Amino acid sequence: MSATLLGVSGLTKRFGGVAAVNGCSFQVDEGTITALIGPNGSGKTTAFNMITGYLPADSGEVTFAGRAVKRPNPTRLYRAGLTRTFQQARVFPGLTLLENLTVAISQPWRTLLRRNVAARDRERALTLLEEFGLERLGDRPAGELSFGQRKLLEFATVLMGEPRLVLLDEPTAGVNPVMVEQIERHVRELHARGLTFLIVEHDMHLVMRLCNPVIVLDGGATIKQGPPAEVQSDRAVLDAYLGT
Amino acid sequence: MSRLTRTGVLRAVVVFGALAAFPFVFPAQWIVNIAIFTLMYAGLATAWNLLGGFSGYLSLGHAAFFGVGAYAIAIAFTHIGIGGSGYKPFFALPLVGIVVALVSVPIAWVALRVRAATFAIVTLTLLFVVQQLAFNLHHLTHGSQGLALPPPPFDVSTFEQPFYFAMLGVFALAFFTCWWVKGSKLGLMLFSIRDDEDRARGVGVRVTGAKVIAFALSVGFTGMLGGVWAYYIQFIYPQFAVDPLITIGAVLMAFLGGKGTVWGPTVGAFILVPAQQYMAYKLGASELYLLGYASVFLLIMLFLPRGIIPSISDHLARRRSGRPDEPPGAVASAPRATLPGGMAP
Amino acid sequence: MHLFIQACILGLLAGGVYALMASGLTLAFGVMRVINVAQGAMIVLGAFLSYTLFTKAHIDPFVSVVLLTPLMFLVGVALQLVFIRPLRADEREELSLLVTWALALGIEGLLSVLYKTNYRSTITSYADKSWRVLGYHLSEVRVFAFGMSVVILTLLYLLLTRTEFGRTVRATVQNPVSARLLGVNVDKVSALGFGISVATATAAGAVFGMVTPFFPGSHYDLISRLLSIIVLGGLGSLGGAIIAALFMGMAEAVFAAEISPTWSSFTFFIVLIAILLLRPQGLFGTNERGAL
Ligand SMILES: Nc1ncnc2c1ncn2[C@@H]1O[C@H](COP(=O)(O)OP(=O)(O)O)[C@@H](O)[C@H]1O
Ligand SMILES: [Mg+2]
């Protein structure tokens, strides 16, 4: 239960002299819903970008599933079971919802010239779309979706690769309350099925009821990691949020 | 999405049937001559579309590979001696295509490591490198003097026909490959790259492999068309075999018809090439013709950037569903989630 | 050794002009994410304009620069408004490549109609003169051209660093979205930036016409060199472009002197490939992957 799935130590990134992430260290245990919180600009997204291989780190180490990630690369990490969503909900606007999902299924090279959406993949994608309440729109281009629907679709897409750890970057920002509930339900269900989550989230009520432990980032460094109640009453965390 | 709809197949059968019958119905040499160039550009635009339209990587240097194909045939003629029997060079075409495709792989691998704008720069530079090579490798290409191929021993009255069918064959090959790819997993990968490459990488799409394959296919066909062209023209110079106008023509046609669609580049070529030949005939002076070309291009970019086929099919879809007209491109204009610098925030 | 140093001097002088040519290209990219493939054609246009003023009105090219740059600045602003501004933001980066390529073609076509397609060069009274310093030849025209490039680049630097307008330009280069939020009129900055870019091309064109024979199709060769330079320097980086230009100018000249003049234009391509393999973001580009 408490095996470390993702370990981050001393992660650092500077943008022109300003450290966005500065010696950030934390770990995510298998089977948890871990929250990563911190004031705006504290480096949460930047940390995600480095962990998932979108941004080369200046220094620091990342381990995933017990192995050091030497040269992080989004494609390889996805195949290894580490995946993420983006803060502004990125989907493939020109592809249909079904295609959005099936393109995320790992395929061997030899099937390259086979039909784009194989019957079996279609089944799987439809099932997932049903779970997310998007099955009606299966053959519509994703560009037609509302922002909230895009967030759902993006979430659904990353599940196609059967990940072990999902990083969600502000899954509920800009989404209506009904959909927030829906997203929370999905996280809980998937968690019950054995998925581990690392979630950047601004809605503190959601964090407090959904996540444990909570990691707090300030100025690019971890200042606290612990159960929600403990974090909530921590002096340093309050200071960080109140800006003193 | 089913790959072969009945109307789709029917349309292809009708069009290619008509194209096969064409030189028998209109045997006049000047007509077949125009038709040969139309097919050549239809093939070039279709091949360009396979990379540019599908993956969004706009190559400005396809003429380089056209030139390589042309010189491959011409050099094989003069230095290896495949000429003489008339049809032999046509049988060498698949080899030309394969060699050009293989040669392009390392180039593609380097050029496709960078994002689209830099890719365009590299391909454009490649164009001039190949042109310069054609000038400088004097012993192979005879430099600026040009390289002559012995005249093919075809009957004068039906002289153009073998070339017509060679062009048609290569065009058909490019066309059906494009069609096939569009409905395949490779097509899906390419479209996801076009929409958002960073995110495609994040959901396990092997972007580099997909791009390199598309590039190799695309330039392979381009090289084959260059080979047929060289044999038909019989005399090639560096500045005509590796001519930026060839790329620009192909790109223009793909845009006019609709990039990313199967039929778009063909439609674009069938409209523009005859019009262009007519203009060249009317205006004569090639300088004016350059201006005309540029104006048409600018007009299309500004007023019909999505092309004919997507515009029509949108219109039809809207009519069918009875929705009011939306501004064109409502779907394609969905916000691209990239910050300046193209980085994921 | 003598030959090598002579080549370095020649290359440095040529590199200064390349730097002027490339500065506009990289500035336009920085501000608008537009790769102006027509930059080469604008340079050739500048060469023809100053050629005409010289042959018809006997105006020295260095003087005509003063007349032509303001004029071409306005032309640049107009071109931006008509051809670049209408492109949708999410497609601008790719479509502008094709639009500016078509512009290049249009300029080439126009020049071919007006001047026909033979080679010309602007030959002033001091064209063949040169100074001898420590046994090395310093061609007067090339030294003047270098000097003019330095002056214009300095003015450009001062404009970018010392003025309010320059601050808005730099903010836009760094991040158009937040620049807009901070009240920068990005559309205006883009139009003016393109104007400046065309103005520098014109100035460079005037001296280009004195050191190299040119014809309407010369722009292809130019643009492929300039594009290699700005990739080497890091797209959008002005300082990078200048250093890359000086480096490439010298590399080309040394290659021509020491190895082979016929193959010297390949220097650009070789360096381009090397940079893509080793450091795809360019020497001074940002270091994110995919940011190039
Ligand atoms: N590509 C970038 N270039 C320069 N600065 C950046 C870049 N990305 C992020 N930053 C800066 O790094 C800091 C951390 O940003 P970010 O990781 O997005 O914070 P968060 O997600 O916690 O709100 C911010 O000050 C931001 O301005
Ligand atoms: Mg963030």
Side-chain angles (χ1 to χ4, degrees), chain B residues 51-283:
Chain B
L51 179 73
F54 286 11
S55 77
Y57 275 78
L58 307 184
S59 160
L60 304 185
H62 263 49
F65 298 97
F66 182 85
V68 170
Y71 271 103
I73 286 287
I75 290 169
F77 239 119
T78 43
H79 294 261
I80 308 172
I82 57 161
S85 79
Y87 290 101
K88 247 198 213 158
F90 293 135
F91 300 129
L93 284 177
L95 194 63
V96 169
I98 290 169
V99 169
V100 171
L102 289 180
V103 167
S104 79
V105 168
I107 298 171
W109 187 78
V110 174
L112 289 163
R113 280 155 49 90
V114 290
R115 67 175 181 170
T118 318
F119 172 76
I121 293 181
V122 176
T123 54
L124 188 62
T125 313
L126 187 67
L127 181 75
F128 301 108
V129 167
V130 171
Q131 199 184 67
Q132 201 69 43
L133 279 175
F135 276 117
N136 286 5
L137 294 174
H138 204 273
H139 56 287
L140 277 180
T141 65
H142 298 184
S144 51
Q145 289 163 19
L147 201 54
L149 291 83
F154 298 143
D155 186 48
V156 180
S157 60
T158 56
F159 180 83
E160 337 279 316
Q161 282 197 6
F163 299 104
Y164 179 89
F165 284 103
M167 284 293 187
L168 182 59
V170 182
F171 163 55
L173 195 61
F175 179 87
F176 287 106
T177 305
C178 212
W179 194 357
W180 190 264
V181 167
K182 181 156 193 217
S184 71
K185 293 194 192 305
L186 176 61
L188 205 51
M189 291 162 86
L190 293 172
F191 286 126
S192 74
I193 291 169
R194 180 195 62 189
D195 279 2
D196 187 342
E197 182 167 355
D198 269 336
R199 165 140 161 90
R201 290 199 295 145
V203 294
V205 177
R206 286 183 252 218
V207 295
T208 310
K211 288 187 289 185
V212 169
I213 291 172
F215 189 91
L217 284 172
S218 178
V219 302
F221 295 130
T222 305
M224 288 168 80
L225 291 162
V228 182
W229 173 82
Y231 192 29
Y232 180 50
I233 295 280
Q234 289 176 38
F235 207 91
I236 61 175
Y237 299 96
Q239 61 270 48
F240 293 127
V242 190
D243 185 350
L245 273 183
I246 290 176
T247 317
I248 259 237
V251 177
L252 178 51
M253 289 157 205
F255 265 83
L256 175 64
K259 66 176 158 47
T261 64
V262 173
W263 283 99
T266 305
V267 169
F270 281 29
I271 294 174
L272 276 184
V273 181
Q276 168 196 339
Q277 300 275 341
Y278 178 78
M279 251 174 50
Y281 172 72
K282 272 279 172 200
L283 297 176

Side-chain angles (χ1 to χ4, degrees), chain C residues 43-277:
Chain C
I43 292 167
V44 175
L45 177 64
F48 270 107
L49 288 175
S50 74
Y51 169 84
T52 305
L53 286 179
F54 179 71
T55 49
K56 294 272 161 12
H58 307 290
I59 299 175
D60 186 276
F62 286 108
V63 178
S64 67
V65 164
V66 183
L67 306 173
L68 288 174
T69 41
L71 181 75
M72 292 306 288
F73 168 78
L74 295 178
V75 172
V77 171
L79 287 176
Q80 201 276 347
L81 293 181
V82 176
F83 292 114
I84 312 238
R85 165 90 54 97
L87 302 176
R88 279 214 319 265
D90 58 328
E91 297 178 331
R92 187 172 297 161
E93 190 166 332
E94 9 184 289
L95 288 192
S96 65
L97 275 166
L98 301 173
V99 167
T100 54
W101 202 11
L103 274 179
L105 215 63
I107 294 173
E108 184 192 346
L110 192 67
L111 291 174
S112 312
V113 171
L114 295 176
Y115 294 95
K116 305 299 171 234
T117 52
N118 28 5
Y119 275 95
R120 328 228 160 194
S121 41
T122 314
I123 300 167
T124 52
S125 55
Y126 48 92
D128 292 332
K129 296 213 179 104
S130 64
W131 294 301
R132 280 184 82 85
V133 179
L134 304 171
Y136 298 106
H137 280 282
L138 290 176
S139 143
E140 284 187 19
V141 172
R142 285 172 192 266
V143 172
F144 288 147
F146 183 82
M148 188 198 80
S149 302
V150 171
V151 169
I152 294 179
L153 285 172
T154 309
L155 288 177
L156 192 60
Y157 176 78
L158 292 178
L159 179 73
L160 289 177
T161 53
R162 298 291 158 82
T163 65
E164 190 52 42
F165 170 71
R167 266 185 285 282
T168 60
V169 170
R170 282 182 299 141
T172 312
V173 171
Q174 258 166 27
N175 189 338
V177 178
S178 40
R180 205 183 286 271
L181 291 177
L182 294 173
V184 173
N185 185 342
V186 173
D187 284 339
K188 194 170 129 198
V189 169
S190 300
L192 296 178
F194 201 75
I196 292 175
S197 158
V198 172
T200 56
T202 311
V207 294
F208 174 72
M210 292 195 286
V211 294
T212 319
F214 56 94
F215 78 109
S218 297
H219 67 101
Y220 291 120
D221 188 28
L222 266 176
I223 192 65
S224 57
R225 284 159 199 251
L226 297 180
L227 290 174
S228 305
I229 286 173
I230 65 165
V231 170
L232 175 62
L235 290 180
S237 159
L238 190 57
I242 291 172
I243 292 171
L246 295 175
F247 172 75
M248 292 304 305
M250 288 169 62
E252 187 187 19
V254 170
F255 195 101
E258 302 277 332
I259 302 172
S260 152
T262 339
W263 294 92
S264 67
S265 53
F266 281 73
T267 332
F268 284 81
F269 194 66
I270 295 165
V271 173
L272 181 63
I273 295 295
I275 198 76
L276 291 180
L277 284 172

Side-chain angles (χ1 to χ4, degrees), chain A residues 45 49 54 74-75 78-79 86 88 90 92-95 99 104 107 109 112-116 150 154 157, chain B residues 1 3 180 183-186 188-189 191-192 195-196 198-204 206 213 334 337 343-345:
Chain A
T45 300
N49 285 344
Y54 279 96
T75 312
Y78 178 83
R79 282 158 198 269
F86 290 91
Q88 7 52 331
R90 291 163 78 158
F92 303 115
L95 302 188
E99 289 169 340
Q107 307 281 0
W109 280 120
L112 207 65
L113 292 179
R114 303 242 182 97
R115 210 160 124 172
N116 52 7
R150 284 180 197 223
E154 189 188 23
T157 306
Chain B
M1 187 190 278
R3 176 133 58 177
W180 190 264
S184 71
K185 293 194 192 305
L186 176 61
L188 205 51
M189 291 162 86
F191 286 126
S192 74
D195 279 2
D196 187 342
D198 269 336
R199 165 140 161 90
R201 290 199 295 145
V203 294
R206 286 183 252 218
I213 291 172
M343 203 37 228

